[in-house]
Amino acid sequence: MKQILKDKIIAVCNKKIAEKGEQVGLSFYAFFENKNSNPELLMEAAKWWIMEHKLNHFEKAVKIKSLVYGNPTK
């Protein structure tokens, strides 16, 4: 995964956790604006989310951060 995507995911997760607490859930769309301005990065996120980790549509932000850092949790 590109560093720019990792950084974006971590920043969004941190922001949402700060706003709503550690139980907040996100989908991979949370890392992108409502317009498709970077389709390659969107597809990279989708592949990572769906194909590589087989995540549900919504997952806890703390779990997502853990996966980005390479520390998978159950």
Side-chain angles (χ1 to χ4, degrees):
M1 179 188 308
K2 291 181 180 110
Q3 190 63 45
I4 190 169
L5 182 54
K6 288 181 181 182
D7 294 344
K8 186 173 208 151
I9 289 171
I10 296 300
V12 169
C13 286
N14 286 340
K15 180 181 179 207
K16 293 297 183 180
I17 291 168
E19 291 172 352
K20 298 186 178 193
E22 294 211 354
Q23 297 302 314
V24 67
L26 302 172
S27 80
F28 71 87
Y29 291 114
F31 312 116
F32 299 91
E33 297 175 14
N34 287 338
K35 57 185 174 183
N36 193 2
S37 59
N38 192 336
E40 291 83 17
L41 205 59
L42 176 63
M43 291 307 294
E44 183 177 346
K47 181 180 175 199
W48 179 85
W49 189 283
I50 297 166
M51 302 300 289
E52 188 174 331
H53 292 287
K54 300 187 183 350
L55 299 175
N56 291 325
H57 185 74
F58 284 94
E59 292 286 352
K60 288 188 167 78
V62 292
K63 178 179 180 177
I64 298 164
K65 280 179 54 176
S66 180
L67 291 170
V68 170
Y69 285 131
N71 303 313
T73 60
K74 298 272 180 187

